[in-house]
Amino acid sequence: MKDIKEYLSSYVDALRPIIYINHFDFNYTDKIIEDISENITIIEYNNSLGKVDFKTKAPQIEMTSLEEFLKENRENGFDNNTFIILKDIHNELDNPKVLSILKRISEDNLYREDYYCTIFIVSSILKVPRELENYITILDAPLPIDKEIKNIMINFIKELDINVSKDVINELSVSFKGLNKFQIEQILNLAYQNSGTIEMQDKDLILKEKEQLVKKSSMLEIINFKEGIDDIGGLETLKNWLERKAKIFKNLGKAKESGVDVPKGIMIVGMPGCGKSLTAKVTSSLFNVPLVRLDVGRLLGKYVGESEENMRKALDLAEAISPCVLWIDEIEKAFAGIGSGVSEVTTRLFGLLLTWLQEKENTVFVVATANDISNLPPEFLRKGRFDEIFFTDLPNVNERTDIIKIHLKKRNKFNRDIDIYKLAKETDGYNGADLEYIIKDTIEEAFINNKDTITTDDLLATIKETKSISQTLKTKIENIRKTVEEMDIKKATNKN
Ligand code: ATP
């Protein structure tokens, strides 16, 4: 595999006029640019200082605008082979005058034989304006692989002259996977500051740092919750399935050795308010790993390639913090109607996600949830993407009994005098969220009336006043059931 320097060098040789290096560590990017710049004049412009000396970073002249700088320095390409480095100038890529001069330099570089000037835009934020789309080549720094991670650790340990066992290096290098060199060194530093050495417990530090990474990025969201498996009423088949997979997920090393495949993920399709989100949370608690949510809508950007880049980053980030559960909520809203005229960007995002799901060999367990999948492209549901697809229907009478009990207990209002079975019988067509609402509302009413306990009659009265989801969303419910029956999707419950 080519390394980043080789890529960069081949792009320059191929006369790519603008190379966009999407990276935050400028020391690192300077080093690789310098390494490929023999006999080349390097001119640098930095968003905060203006023109600076590439080697010393000393500002060279009074601060000028980027437009002025480009105007003054473009001629260099006639006399010398020139690299123009532009750092953190992504905000200037809205300025039509800047775009026009960048375009002019690009065209001279491409079409004039007496002109040689490559522009490097270096920034951690990727913005590709449509006007420059044909001139820009994006260069992403590849993440270190196993051997490289170990080398980073070994160099760090050598430099500090500390003793760290081989086992610790092996184990931690697995956890470091998905982070770049800079991030790995920062964590090693932190670990060393804490204890004066690097030890097995630092794995927790890595996970905490990885969570911080998610918090800092706007691509994914860490979900905090309290629910465990006992908070789900019914859905026995689904729960049993998850408990089996949890056993594998918690012992991945051993499972792999025994030839067991790493679980990939599930898709949960079903009625609104029937425990899909709850199941995503419970999966994470069963597997004992963080839960991160991917909101596809949040990835959409206004520049060319930005959305795809965001999707790639979000998936990289999920891998970086793995093992984890990646929850893709309301997936049908993001990808409905693909193949029948939705935007090209959405189609490309869908393609990226599909390939990732198909090819992934990591420890990111995906939980995708959706209400209506009739408009989802069929390839999404094809074998190989998910281990299983489950349908969460409206709860049957036994499940309603469980759900009512769970929510009464949660609020310390469960007592033997309440006829739960009667309540369950009276709530045919209600979903879990409706049942929770009925209990909450009855408790609130009792509180307002200075009553300590609630009775079956109190609950029956609230039921009478509460419309079920089957009444309020009749057509939607019928449509979901029809699609699921046509597709013959496995039911999440084993009772009828
Ligand atoms: P939507 O499609 O509207 O996003 P959902 O299927 O994701 O709905 P949840 O958010 O999981 O629904 O459920 C809403 C609330 O209803 C839950 O927080 C929970 O309190 C209650 N609930 C739903 N199903 C169950 C269940 N099977 N057991 C216990 N509580 C449930």
Side-chain angles (χ1 to χ4, degrees):
M1 210 178 108
K2 275 195 207 173
D3 71 8
I4 185 164
K5 214 186 301 174
E6 288 167 320
Y7 273 114
L8 198 61
S9 183
S10 64
Y11 291 156
V12 172
D13 291 345
L15 294 184
R16 303 278 179 97
I18 305 177
I19 301 170
Y20 202 128
I21 309 182
N22 190 202
H23 208 279
F24 57 90
D25 184 352
F26 293 167
N27 280 332
Y28 173 71
T29 54
D30 275 359
K31 174 98 189 49
I32 50 170
I33 293 173
E34 195 175 2
D35 283 353
I36 63 156
S37 65
E38 208 179 322
N39 298 326
I40 293 177
T41 308
I42 307 182
I43 307 170
E44 174 173 344
Y45 181 90
N46 176 313
N47 187 45
S48 51
L49 298 170
K51 187 173 178 181
V52 297
D53 183 280
F54 179 71
K55 281 215 155 48
T56 63
K57 304 297 168 206
Q60 290 202 326
I61 43 167
E62 264 181 44
M63 176 90 188
T64 50
S65 69
L66 177 60
E67 184 196 346
E68 287 299 316
F69 165 83
L70 289 171
K71 269 190 194 153
E72 277 162 23
N73 290 283
R74 66 168 291 276
E75 299 283 321
N76 254 293
F78 287 111
D79 306 322
N80 306 291
N81 283 353
T82 305
F83 283 173
I84 296 184
I85 321 286
L86 307 175
K87 285 192 182 147
D88 267 344
I89 55 101
H90 46 269
N91 286 333
E92 292 283 339
L93 295 174
D94 283 334
N95 179 345
K97 290 192 172 142
V98 168
L99 294 183
S100 132
I101 187 155
L102 284 174
K103 191 169 167 188
R104 181 146 171 226
I105 297 174
S106 300
E107 287 186 341
D108 282 347
N109 191 47
L110 280 172
Y111 306 120
R112 292 189 64 143
E113 290 199 347
D114 54 345
Y115 189 81
Y116 181 89
C117 175
T118 308
I119 293 167
F120 295 82
I121 299 175
V122 189
S123 171
S124 59
I125 294 168
L126 185 69
K127 261 189 181 181
V128 180
R130 200 163 285 277
E131 297 86 335
L132 296 180
E133 196 184 330
N134 293 331
Y135 304 108
I136 290 184
T137 305
I138 299 166
L139 184 80
D140 263 321
L143 293 172
I145 53 169
D146 284 355
K147 219 170 108 196
E148 290 161 338
I149 296 174
K150 277 193 189 133
N151 278 340
I152 297 172
M153 291 187 72
I154 290 165
N155 288 339
F156 185 89
I157 291 161
K158 254 192 205 154
E159 218 159 88
L160 290 171
D161 199 17
I162 47 175
N163 248 334
V164 178
S165 78
K166 223 175 168 184
D167 279 353
V168 171
I169 297 178
N170 282 342
E171 194 62 32
L172 293 193
S173 66
V174 175
S175 297
F176 272 129
K177 214 165 163 214
L179 301 185
N180 64 36
K181 184 169 181 266
F182 179 78
Q183 290 160 333
I184 295 172
E185 284 173 346
Q186 273 204 327
I187 294 171
L188 286 171
N189 244 323
L190 199 67
Y192 177 69
Q193 301 294 332
N194 283 351
S195 63
T197 187
I198 310 290
E199 51 198 359
M200 226 40 128
Q201 284 107 287
D202 292 329
K203 215 172 169 184
D204 288 343
L205 201 65
I206 299 174
L207 285 182
K208 279 215 183 80
E209 285 295 312
K210 284 184 169 184
E211 282 194 16
Q212 282 296 319
L213 282 181
V214 177
K215 284 186 184 143
K216 278 185 214 159
S217 100
S218 50
M219 309 290 159
L220 296 174
E221 183 193 355
I222 290 257
I223 307 288
N224 294 309
F225 61 92
K226 298 186 293 294
E227 290 86 349
I229 187 108
D230 295 335
D231 290 296
I232 305 185
L235 309 183
E236 296 303 330
T237 310
L238 172 57
K239 284 195 290 194
N240 288 340
W241 189 92
L242 284 174
E243 275 173 329
R244 282 169 62 96
K245 298 291 169 189
K247 186 154 186 202
I248 303 172
F249 216 78
K250 280 200 219 159
N251 302 285
L252 280 170
K254 237 185 184 173
K256 272 188 193 170
E257 258 176 40
S258 317
V260 179
D261 281 355
V262 177
K264 276 176 167 239
I266 43 167
M267 166 108 191
I268 311 174
V269 188
M271 304 299 183
C274 283
K276 295 183 298 297
S277 313
L278 193 57
T279 306
K281 293 173 187 162
V282 168
T283 306
S284 137
S285 82
L286 272 179
F287 288 18
N288 199 17
V289 293
L291 176 65
V292 287
R293 181 161 54 193
L294 172 71
D295 177 351
V296 179
R298 239 158 82 169
L299 302 180
L300 299 175
K302 62 179 176 166
Y303 295 95
V304 181
E306 196 183 352
S307 312
E308 293 90 320
E309 187 57 26
N310 287 344
M311 174 67 94
R312 263 184 231 112
K313 277 191 178 158
L315 298 175
D316 281 352
L317 192 60
E319 286 185 32
I321 63 146
S322 65
C324 67
V325 171
L326 180 70
W327 173 22
I328 314 177
D329 196 13
E330 300 191 323
I331 200 151
E332 80 278 27
K333 291 207 176 129
F335 297 123
I338 287 200
S340 54
V342 291
S343 82
E344 269 179 39
V345 172
T346 310
T347 309
R348 282 201 294 270
L349 287 188
F350 178 69
L352 274 174
L353 182 64
L354 220 55
T355 314
W356 182 79
L357 279 173
Q358 183 73 36
E359 292 174 359
K360 83 186 197 58
E361 281 180 6
N362 51 46
T363 50
V364 178
F365 185 84
V366 177
V367 177
T369 53
N371 283 146
D372 183 2
I373 49 166
S374 55
N375 282 328
L376 265 186
E379 54 267 44
F380 198 71
L381 306 169
R382 210 172 282 154
K383 273 256 166 280
R385 318 280 193 219
F386 296 100
D387 298 315
E388 195 58 85
I389 304 175
F390 281 103
F391 169 49
T392 55
D393 202 346
L394 292 172
N396 61 37
V397 68
N398 293 322
E399 291 181 303
R400 294 198 297 276
T401 310
D402 281 354
I403 298 172
I404 294 170
K405 216 186 266 177
I406 285 170
H407 287 287
L408 284 172
K409 279 189 176 163
K410 229 184 199 172
R411 292 167 177 80
N412 290 326
K413 293 294 176 198
F414 178 67
N415 70 61
R416 300 206 174 278
D417 295 333
I418 298 180
D419 187 347
I420 293 184
Y421 192 65
K422 183 166 186 187
L423 297 170
K425 278 206 330 213
E426 292 298 319
T427 45
D428 190 21
Y430 287 72
N431 66 10
D434 291 335
L435 297 174
E436 183 185 20
Y437 169 81
I438 288 164
I439 289 160
K440 273 207 305 207
D441 199 54
T442 311
I443 294 174
E444 185 183 294
E445 188 65 20
F447 176 80
I448 289 166
N449 293 318
N450 299 319
K451 278 171 64 181
D452 280 344
T453 49
I454 56 168
T455 64
T456 310
D457 284 343
D458 294 335
L459 287 157
L460 285 171
T462 319
I463 291 169
K464 234 179 176 177
E465 284 165 19
T466 311
K467 281 200 169 161
S468 72
I469 185 120
S470 315
Q471 291 168 294
T472 53
L473 291 178
K474 194 165 179 277
T475 319
K476 185 171 179 176
I477 299 284
E478 280 165 6
N479 287 342
I480 295 176
R481 186 159 290 128
K482 199 166 146 243
T483 312
V484 167
E485 271 164 17
E486 275 166 13
M487 291 186 176
D488 194 21
I489 294 175
K490 193 174 192 151
K491 283 198 164 190
T493 175
N494 54 6
K495 300 178 212 157
N496 286 310

